[in-house]
């Protein structure tokens, strides 16, 4: 007995915790081939779907009307077909007729109208996504019509992703007076999985919904284990306690690939990484300084060293080959050229004293680089180190600072430089150029504090332009302005990597993905058991 106790005390704390969790899950969830176990870093759908806000693609329980596909088009979800009328001022959706909420209540057009009206009545953040909608009309139980305030050809984009609109059940939410304080206990949706139970801080369990109207998942049960630490998630995959792991740093993906029974599913070019400038602070308010920095960046080194070959240098602010096919790669000539960068600075009134760059007042230049941002935190931090080294080659002092996630955007307003890594779906269409519109962040200033009246005029015209050739022409003019002003520098496009327990699961790539993540309903439906 004493020997047993001594052996137990010698085990590392992390291993003991893992063993205890394994025993716990064994008794709570009987072993079955149809169970898929995935990790989540934070509480999944904490509070309610209204707390989460945004794209239903990652909720698994809720659905929107349409969803994006990898070809740049749209597939039906709760809508089986749709049509735009009156020059895209009116959008009519024909809904699926066999969908039901998880409690058995039939899904109808009234739920779609209620979702729109509720978001606006309660003044929720997602209401800003539907700013262009004037009224919603239910012509019958399975037809809903959106009447817009003006032409809006990219309406489907707003409904489908980034952030997208999840439809909620009227019979449940009409009784919720304060949605932001509401703690959901049932999570009634129409998605492929229905809620079973949760233990805060430990797991969230779902079962396949027997009455689901769409493509049935290959697993009858999903368990989402909360593992907040990256190392614990990798250990859990190696030990077989979880079946897949996404959002991997490149060096972590390579380390996992060397392990027995682990394979990588690679989704090419799923994220665009940008070095962003604060255009409201001196000296990054200077387009000349911003452009000089753009020529000082060694993109090839970043792709090789940071991403270990799982990235390519960016060639545009848009993803070439996307839905719009209007990326002006000819304007994006920011290849590494230190001498050209130095000439630009000299022509712009900047001077050098020994190895230090001075502004036109003779003062040394100091820039603050805010760490963190959208994207993988460890990747962003390593990118920041390389980028800072490139900038220092121009004689510019760069100092790092870090901010808690809750105040990160506020701190970005007080920093010169930061990194943003956003999904390809936010950079694959001409309409995505509106991110640089002066009030693009749902009516608030854009991340960069960038403002250009002509750019704003073109963006407003683009929002209403219907003809593809006109949209391409406007997007071309907008990219010419970006090439001159450089509010951000597109650095590289990186692959998304999903590590799989190949002894248990595989991915059917024909079914596609949206974000290249496991908790993306398209990816999830493509995961199949291998035995």
């Amino acid at each position: 007995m004493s020997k047993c106790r001594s052996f137990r005390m010698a085990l590392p704390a992390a291993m003991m915790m893992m063993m205890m969790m394994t025993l716990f899950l064994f008794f709570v969830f009987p072993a079955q081939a149809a169970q898929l176990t995935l990790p989540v870093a934070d509480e999944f759908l904490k509070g309610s779907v209204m707390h989460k806000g945004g794209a239903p693609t990652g909720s698994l329980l809720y659905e929107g009307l349409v969803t994006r596909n990898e070809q740049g088009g749209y597939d039906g979800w709760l809508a089986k077909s749709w049509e735009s009328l009156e020059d895209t001022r009116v959008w009519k959706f024909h809904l699926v007729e066999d969908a039901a909420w998880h409690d058995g209540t039939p899904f109808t057009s009234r739920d779609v109208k209620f979702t729109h009206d509720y978001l606006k009545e309660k003044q929720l953040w997602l209401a800003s996504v539907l700013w262009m909608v004037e009224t919603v009309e239910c012509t019958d139980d399975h037809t809903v019509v959106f009447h817009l305030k003006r032409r809006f050809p990219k309406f489907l984009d707003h409904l489908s992703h980034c952030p997208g609109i999840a439809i909620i059940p009227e019979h449940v939410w009409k009784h919720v007076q304060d949605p932001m304080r509401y703690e959901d206990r049932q999570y009634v949706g129409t998605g492929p999985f229905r809620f079973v139970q949760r233990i805060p801080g430990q797991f969230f369990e779902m079962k396949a919904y027997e009455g689901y109207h769409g493509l049935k998942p290959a697993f009858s049960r999903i368990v989402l284990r909360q593992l907040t630490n990256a190392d614990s998630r990798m250990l859990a995959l190696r030990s077989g306690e979880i079946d897949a792991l996404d959002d991997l740093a490149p060096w972590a993906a390579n380390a996992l690939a060397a392990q027995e029974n682990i394979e990588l599913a690679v989704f090419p070019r799923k994220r665009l990484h940008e070095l962003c400038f604060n255009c409201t602070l001196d000296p990054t308010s200077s387009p000349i300084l911003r452009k000089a920095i753009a020529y000082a960046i060694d993109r090839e080194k970043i792709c090789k060293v940071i991403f270990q070959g799982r990235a390519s240098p960016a060639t545009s602010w848009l993803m070439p080959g996307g839905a719009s096919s209007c990326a002006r790669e000819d304007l994006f000539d920011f290849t590494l050229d230190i001498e050209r960068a130095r000439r630009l600075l000299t022509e712009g009134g900047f001077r050098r004293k020994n190895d230090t760059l001075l502004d036109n007042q003779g003062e040394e230049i100091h820039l603050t680089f805010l760490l963190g941002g959208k994207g993988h935190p460890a990747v962003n931090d390593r990118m920041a180190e390389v980028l800072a080294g490139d900038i220092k080659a121009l004689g510019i002092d760069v100092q790092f600072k870090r901010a808690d996630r809750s105040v990160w955007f506020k701190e970005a307003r007080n920093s010169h430089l930061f990194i943003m890594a956003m999904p390809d779906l936010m950079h694959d269409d001409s309409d995505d150029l509106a991110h640089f519109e002066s009030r693009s962040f749902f009516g608030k200033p854009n991340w960069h504090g960038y403002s250009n009246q002509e750019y704003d005029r073109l963006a407003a015209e683009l929002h209403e332009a219907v003809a593809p050739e006109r949209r391409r022409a406007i997007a071309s003019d907008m990219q010419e302005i970006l090439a001159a002003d450089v509010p951000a520098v597109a650095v590289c496009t990186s692959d998304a990597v999903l590590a799989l327990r190949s002894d248990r699961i595989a991915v059917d790539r024909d079914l596609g993905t949206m974000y290249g993540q496991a908790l993306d309903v398209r990816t999830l439906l493509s995961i199949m058991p291998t035995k």
Side-chain angles (χ1 to χ4, degrees):
M1 185 71 176
S2 60
K3 290 182 180 179
C4 218
R5 183 179 296 112
S6 298
F7 174 72
R8 179 180 177 183
M9 294 302 291
L11 284 173
M15 186 69 74
M16 279 299 304
M17 180 65 72
M18 204 68 74
M19 290 175 62
M20 292 172 64
M21 182 59 73
T22 301
L23 290 171
F24 173 78
L25 289 173
F26 176 80
F27 288 110
V28 174
F29 308 116
Q32 55 178 289
Q35 177 174 308
L36 182 68
T37 305
L38 300 172
V40 287
D42 302 304
E43 288 276 5
F44 184 72
L45 283 181
K46 183 179 180 179
S48 74
V49 68
M50 291 292 101
H51 287 207
K52 177 184 174 69
T57 54
S59 77
L60 312 183
L61 299 108
Y62 298 90
E63 299 178 290
L65 291 175
V66 296
T67 182
R68 279 289 299 270
N69 58 41
E70 286 188 300
Q71 291 70 46
Y74 304 90
D75 294 332
W77 209 346
L78 283 171
K80 62 182 180 181
S81 64
W82 52 89
E83 58 211 28
S84 63
L85 307 167
E86 298 183 22
D87 207 15
T88 73
R89 288 184 178 89
V90 175
W91 289 80
K92 179 184 287 189
F93 295 89
H94 304 280
L95 308 178
V96 295
E97 299 177 2
D98 56 348
W101 296 100
H102 294 156
D103 60 6
T105 304
F107 161 76
T108 72
S109 59
R110 286 187 55 83
D111 296 304
V112 181
K113 175 177 170 55
F114 172 80
T115 300
H116 167 269
D117 295 348
Y118 188 84
L119 289 173
K120 290 191 172 178
E121 175 194 340
K122 300 298 183 181
Q123 298 181 341
L124 298 175
W125 175 77
L126 281 176
S128 59
V129 180
L130 298 171
W131 63 266
M132 76 297 290
V133 179
E134 193 163 48
T135 60
V136 179
E137 173 190 8
C138 300
T139 57
D140 59 48
D141 281 352
H142 298 101
T143 307
V144 63
V145 182
F146 285 77
H147 298 271
L148 309 189
K149 298 174 183 177
R150 67 181 198 190
R151 291 188 305 245
F152 204 83
K154 299 303 294 181
F155 185 53
L156 296 180
D157 225 45
H158 281 239
L159 292 181
S160 64
H161 72 285
C162 300
I165 298 293
I167 305 302
I168 57 176
E170 178 184 20
H171 67 283
V172 173
W173 283 87
K174 69 181 180 182
H175 303 296
V176 179
Q177 297 303 314
D178 189 350
M180 294 312 294
R181 294 178 181 271
Y182 177 57
E183 292 291 331
D184 206 338
R185 295 289 186 268
Q186 299 299 322
Y187 298 95
V188 178
T190 59
F193 293 91
R194 64 176 180 83
F195 172 71
V196 175
Q197 64 172 324
R198 80 181 303 160
I199 294 183
Q202 295 187 36
F203 68 84
F204 189 104
E205 181 194 1
M206 294 172 279
K207 282 188 175 181
Y209 178 40
E210 299 83 354
Y212 185 54
H213 63 91
L215 180 65
K216 300 294 192 296
F219 297 88
S220 63
R221 183 193 304 267
I222 287 187
V223 176
L224 304 180
R225 284 189 52 194
Q226 187 173 344
L227 298 170
T228 58
N229 181 273
D231 290 337
S232 65
R233 290 193 291 272
M234 290 184 65
L235 179 60
L237 185 69
R238 288 190 177 107
S239 66
E241 294 173 67
I242 60 175
D243 296 309
L245 180 58
D246 60 11
D247 198 26
L248 288 163
W251 51 91
N254 290 343
L256 286 172
Q259 301 290 311
E260 185 179 3
N261 293 326
I262 295 178
E263 292 183 0
L264 303 182
V266 180
F267 303 96
R269 299 166 57 103
K270 297 304 295 182
R271 186 169 284 178
L272 177 68
H273 303 257
E274 292 181 309
L275 171 63
C276 301
F277 299 104
N278 187 330
C279 300
T280 65
L281 288 182
D282 288 332
T284 48
S285 58
S286 165
I288 293 173
L289 179 66
R290 300 196 297 261
K291 185 175 288 189
I293 290 175
Y295 284 114
I297 295 174
D298 190 342
R299 290 173 179 75
E300 294 284 356
K301 179 173 64 177
I302 288 173
C303 293
K304 181 179 180 180
V305 174
I306 305 299
F307 292 95
Q308 301 185 7
R310 298 190 189 279
S312 303
T315 57
S316 171
W317 288 276
L318 293 174
M319 304 285 275
S324 64
S325 299
C326 66
R328 287 287 306 274
E329 296 180 79
D330 60 308
L331 293 173
F332 198 90
D333 65 341
F334 300 117
T335 53
L336 177 62
D337 192 337
I338 289 291
E339 291 307 314
R340 184 173 183 178
R342 288 172 176 164
R343 286 198 304 272
L344 276 171
L345 292 171
T346 300
E347 293 166 4
F350 295 89
R351 296 185 293 110
R352 292 179 65 86
K353 182 180 179 182
N354 299 324
D355 293 327
T356 301
L357 188 69
L358 308 177
D359 63 20
N360 54 18
Q361 302 298 318
E363 299 292 330
E364 295 183 2
I365 295 178
H366 303 275
L367 301 182
T368 302
F369 204 135
L370 180 63
L371 299 176
K374 290 288 186 179
H376 194 290
V379 172
N380 282 3
D381 285 358
R382 292 197 184 186
M383 278 188 65
E385 292 176 5
V386 175
L387 289 167
D390 292 340
I391 295 169
K392 288 177 180 179
L394 296 175
I396 299 172
D397 175 59
V398 179
Q399 298 294 323
F400 295 116
K401 74 173 179 178
R402 189 178 296 277
D404 185 78
R405 186 169 59 177
S406 62
V407 296
W408 191 90
F409 281 102
K410 181 179 179 181
E411 286 300 314
R413 304 292 184 190
N414 300 312
S415 306
H416 296 101
L417 307 166
F418 52 94
I419 293 172
M420 297 296 281
M422 304 300 285
D424 60 329
L425 297 181
M426 294 190 72
H427 297 281
D428 69 339
D429 188 270
S430 57
D431 213 55
D432 293 326
L433 291 168
H435 298 323
F436 294 103
E437 197 174 357
S438 62
R439 303 195 69 81
S440 64
F441 197 63
F442 300 109
K444 298 179 180 179
N446 57 53
W447 293 320
H448 323 85
Y450 173 65
S451 181
N452 181 301
Q453 289 186 349
E454 176 61 11
Y455 194 90
D456 286 351
R457 185 192 68 77
L458 290 168
E461 187 178 349
L462 180 64
H463 285 316
E464 296 195 46
V466 177
E469 60 275 12
R470 183 57 190 150
R471 294 181 62 81
R472 282 193 292 270
I474 297 171
S476 177
D477 291 344
M478 293 173 76
Q479 289 173 86
E480 287 188 6
I481 295 175
L482 290 180
D485 290 351
V486 197
V489 185
V491 177
C492 63
T493 58
S494 66
D495 302 338
V497 180
L498 180 65
L500 311 167
R501 285 291 308 197
S502 57
D503 53 337
R504 294 205 292 265
I505 62 172
V507 171
D508 183 353
R509 287 301 311 274
D510 291 339
L511 293 177
T513 184
M514 282 188 70
Y515 300 106
Q517 298 173 332
L519 287 186
D520 157 348
V521 72
R522 282 191 177 279
T523 309
L524 191 70
L525 292 175
S526 73
I527 297 177
M528 307 291 175
T530 55
K531 60 180 181 180

